[in-house]
């Protein structure tokens, strides 16, 4: 069963919500984050990416960066941008993109349920990225970015959340710069809170959709606090971390595409000839290729697009991991032909979220890379099946849209 806990959220005053709300820290590189935060004194990027407010010569992992994050969080209180609720509440968070709505419940989830795999994972994490967020959470004494979790939808939960939305006005209702509508409600009725807590007790598992590094870091900070407080009871806030729970039926996974630095010493002709052993290849010229179905890929190289379709017998369709398109590409092209080493760390490969479009793949392949692959999206059912089997997906298998905003809900660890 899944445990959810109400909490006293730190959150923006309604008139400040749009100014505070920011995209997650990890969708930007340092330069992009600095541009996004420039001149926006209330932007939560100044907390999540504090280096944006510092001399660019300062290294991202300098202790001063994490101290700056804490100070920038305090400044948002001084600027009357943030406040804290006085009572434990749950919160409803709705995002609308291109007319499609997804409605989540903002809660705290238990670090013990992360550890006992009630909260299921599907990706490995990198130690350096974990260490960054551990230091950030510890310095801020707060979970500053929500973990995006999903669960198999239940009508009773949908009905309770939908009823509250209909009967109450949202505390936030704004459209962000990228056209996404954000609405939020405060659930402050004890009976409704208890009812939702009870209903989630019937949910067998929660699944990390996005935020593996944030969740792993939040759990490790909680364990550090336990070690520092050996008489802890389990009720302290550091035993829980900030999450938003969405039913699986509402989620939208986009393609997560790949760009590669070079052809590993091969000519385009030899590369295509090698591909033809396992893929049918159809030349498409200048027309960008969006893969039409599972097992198909777009390839952009030397100014031209190709449609690749994997041949029968190349992979085992009953294997939940190796039958993923990202695994087919990795196992049959990226590693054996292009010589990519560790997909998570090799500097010759980069990953481009589908929200950026196919033209971004062309731009990268014509600029700092040599070729690009457009992907067919992984399904939410594939993700959940792999997590249920305690297996791991290849890195960068999923790109969820719309992105949750940081700064709308913050969970203090005291």
């Amino acid at each position: 069963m899944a445990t959810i806990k109400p909490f006293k959220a730190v959150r923006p005053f309604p008139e400040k919500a749009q100014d505070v709300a920011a995209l997650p820290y990890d969708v930007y590189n340092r330069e992009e984050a600095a541009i996004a935060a420039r001149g926006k004194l209330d932007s939560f990027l100044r907390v999540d990416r504090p280096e944006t407010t510092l001399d660019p010569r300062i290294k991202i992992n300098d202790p001063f960066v994490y101290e700056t994050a804490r100070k920038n969080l305090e400044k948002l209180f001084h600027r009357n941008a943030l406040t804290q609720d006085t009572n434990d509440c749950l919160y409803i968070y709705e995002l609308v993109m291109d007319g499609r709505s997804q409605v989540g419940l903002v809660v705290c989830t238990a670090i013990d349920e992360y550890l006992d795999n009630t909260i299921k994972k599907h990706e490995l994490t990198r130690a350096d990225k974990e260490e960054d967020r551990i230091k950030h959470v510890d310095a801020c004494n707060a979970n500053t970015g929500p973990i995006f979790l999903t669960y198999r939808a239940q009508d009773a939960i949908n009905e309770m959340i939908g009823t509250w939305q209909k009967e109450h006005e949202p505390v936030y209702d704004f459209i962000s710069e990228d056209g996404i509508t954000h609405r939020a409600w405060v659930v402050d009725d004890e009976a409704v809170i208890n009812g939702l807590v009870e209903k989630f007790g019937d949910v067998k598992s929660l699944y990390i959709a996005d935020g593996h590094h944030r969740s792993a870091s939040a759990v490790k900070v909680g364990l550090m606090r336990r070690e520092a407080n050996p008489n802890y009871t389990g009720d302290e806030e550091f035993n829980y971390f900030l999450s938003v729970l969405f039913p699986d039926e509402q989620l939208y996974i986009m393609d997560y595409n790949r760009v590669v630095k070079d052809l590993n010493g091969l000519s385009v002709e030899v590369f295509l000839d090698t591909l033809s052993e396992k893929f049918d290849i159809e030349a498409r010229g200048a027309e960008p290729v969006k893969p039409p179905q599972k097992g198909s890929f777009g390839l952009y190289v030397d100014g031209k697009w190709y449609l690749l379709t994997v041949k029968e017998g190349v992979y085992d369709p009953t294997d939940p991991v190796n039958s993923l398109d990202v695994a087919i590409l990795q196992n049959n092209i990226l590693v054996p032909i292009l010589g990519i080493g560790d997909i998570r760390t090799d500097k010759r490969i980069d990953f481009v979220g589908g929200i950026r479009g196919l033209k971004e793949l062309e731009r990268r392949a014509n600029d700092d890379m040599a070729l690009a692959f457009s992907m067919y999206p992984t399904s939410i059912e594939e993700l959940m099946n792999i997590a249920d089997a305690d297996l791991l997906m290849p890195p960068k298998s999923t790109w969820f849209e719309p992105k949750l905003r940081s700064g709308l809900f913050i969970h203090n660890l005291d």
Side-chain angles (χ1 to χ4, degrees):
M1 69 176 229
T3 301
I4 66 168
K5 178 183 176 298
F7 67 107
K8 300 176 181 69
V10 172
R11 56 188 183 87
F13 288 99
E15 65 274 14
K16 289 284 191 175
Q18 185 168 1
D19 295 332
V20 172
L23 283 165
Y25 76 97
D26 52 358
V27 305
Y28 298 106
N29 61 33
R30 183 170 185 167
E31 182 181 1
E32 290 170 338
I35 293 171
R38 187 174 299 156
K40 299 177 181 178
L41 297 182
D42 291 331
S43 172
F44 205 73
L45 263 182
R46 291 173 170 262
V47 177
D48 259 356
R49 295 294 296 268
E51 72 275 11
T52 60
T53 64
L54 301 174
D55 188 316
R57 291 172 294 183
I58 296 176
K59 293 183 178 181
I60 290 178
N61 60 353
D62 189 294
F64 183 62
V65 171
Y66 303 106
E67 176 65 15
T68 301
R70 183 187 63 78
K71 290 181 178 178
N72 287 350
L73 181 58
E74 292 174 354
K75 287 178 182 178
L76 289 178
F77 283 96
H78 298 324
R79 291 178 55 80
N80 292 318
L82 294 180
T83 185
Q84 184 171 18
D85 288 330
T86 56
N87 296 314
D88 287 338
C89 301
L90 298 175
Y91 306 85
I92 297 169
Y93 182 15
E94 179 184 23
L95 301 96
V96 183
M97 175 180 172
D98 297 331
R100 184 185 58 81
S101 170
Q102 64 182 55
V103 182
L105 193 66
V106 185
V107 306
C108 282
T109 47
I111 66 172
D112 287 317
E113 293 188 356
Y114 178 97
L115 296 169
D116 71 17
N117 211 35
T118 298
I119 299 173
K120 294 182 177 291
K121 309 88 180 164
H122 65 265
E123 285 185 5
L124 290 173
T125 56
R126 284 174 50 179
D128 59 333
K129 290 189 174 184
E130 275 191 35
E131 186 65 21
D132 168 62
R133 286 300 103 177
I134 288 170
K135 292 177 178 178
H136 187 274
V137 171
D138 199 37
C140 292
N141 193 40
N143 303 136
T144 56
I147 312 305
F148 184 169
L149 300 180
T150 187
Y151 59 96
R152 289 189 167 87
Q154 294 198 7
D155 291 341
I157 294 175
N158 288 348
E159 183 178 347
M160 291 182 72
I161 292 174
T163 297
W164 188 273
Q165 287 180 281
K166 291 175 184 177
E167 295 179 352
H168 299 81
E169 290 296 316
V171 292
Y172 306 141
D173 189 349
F174 64 89
I175 299 175
S176 53
E177 293 177 350
D178 54 1
I180 308 299
T181 297
H182 303 264
R183 299 189 186 99
W185 291 258
V186 177
V187 182
D188 54 4
D189 183 282
E190 188 173 352
V192 176
I193 292 171
N194 291 339
L196 285 166
V197 170
E198 180 181 352
K199 292 299 180 185
F200 269 96
D202 297 330
V203 173
K204 182 179 179 182
S205 299
L206 302 174
Y207 302 81
I208 299 175
D210 196 10
H212 280 79
H213 287 95
R214 275 168 286 169
S215 54
S217 302
V219 169
K220 289 183 178 179
V221 171
L223 294 176
M224 287 164 49
R225 298 292 174 95
R226 286 182 174 183
E227 186 175 351
N229 297 274
N231 295 321
Y232 74 92
T233 66
D235 294 327
E236 297 88 354
E237 292 299 326
F238 59 72
N239 295 288
Y240 299 87
F241 59 92
L242 179 65
S243 301
V244 187
L245 281 52
F246 292 90
D248 61 338
E249 63 188 10
Q250 296 182 10
L251 299 187
Y252 177 48
I253 302 180
M254 296 188 73
D255 41 308
Y256 209 162
N257 303 309
R258 278 81 167 122
V259 288
V260 181
K261 189 75 174 178
D262 56 66
L263 288 167
N264 197 28
L266 302 175
S267 67
V268 173
E269 292 75 15
V270 171
F271 175 60
L272 292 174
D273 186 59
T274 305
L275 288 183
S276 67
E277 297 176 10
K278 295 184 177 181
F279 296 85
D280 294 321
I281 302 175
E282 178 185 341
R284 291 289 187 88
E287 178 189 356
V289 174
K290 189 174 181 65
Q293 61 190 17
K294 182 174 169 56
S296 61
F297 308 82
L299 164 66
Y300 181 76
V301 62
D302 199 25
K304 298 176 183 177
W305 280 96
Y306 301 84
L307 173 63
L308 309 180
T309 304
V310 66
K311 293 180 177 180
E312 188 174 351
V314 169
Y315 68 96
D316 179 0
T318 66
D319 186 319
V321 175
N322 289 319
S323 62
L324 294 172
D325 280 14
V326 289
I328 294 170
L329 182 76
Q330 178 174 311
N331 295 339
N332 295 282
I333 299 179
L334 297 179
V335 174
I337 299 176
L338 293 175
I340 301 297
D342 186 337
I343 301 295
R344 297 187 300 154
T345 59
D346 196 309
K347 301 300 184 185
R348 292 175 55 235
I349 188 169
D350 199 4
F351 304 88
V352 181
I355 193 69
R356 295 180 181 262
L358 298 183
K359 287 297 182 182
E360 175 66 8
L361 296 184
E362 291 185 358
R363 186 192 71 79
R364 292 292 303 276
N366 293 332
D367 184 11
D368 61 321
M369 295 293 189
L371 69 161
F373 296 95
S374 57
M375 309 292 296
Y376 189 76
T378 302
S379 73
I380 190 67
E381 193 61 28
E382 287 175 319
L383 181 155
M384 296 172 97
N385 288 341
I386 286 171
D388 282 337
D390 294 327
L391 299 172
L392 297 172
M393 289 177 137
K396 310 295 185 182
S397 293
T398 55
W399 181 276
F400 286 89
E401 286 289 344
K403 297 292 185 187
L404 311 185
R405 275 2 186 222
S406 295
L408 292 179
F409 306 99
I410 302 158
H411 170 233
N412 270 341
L413 299 184
D414 286 337

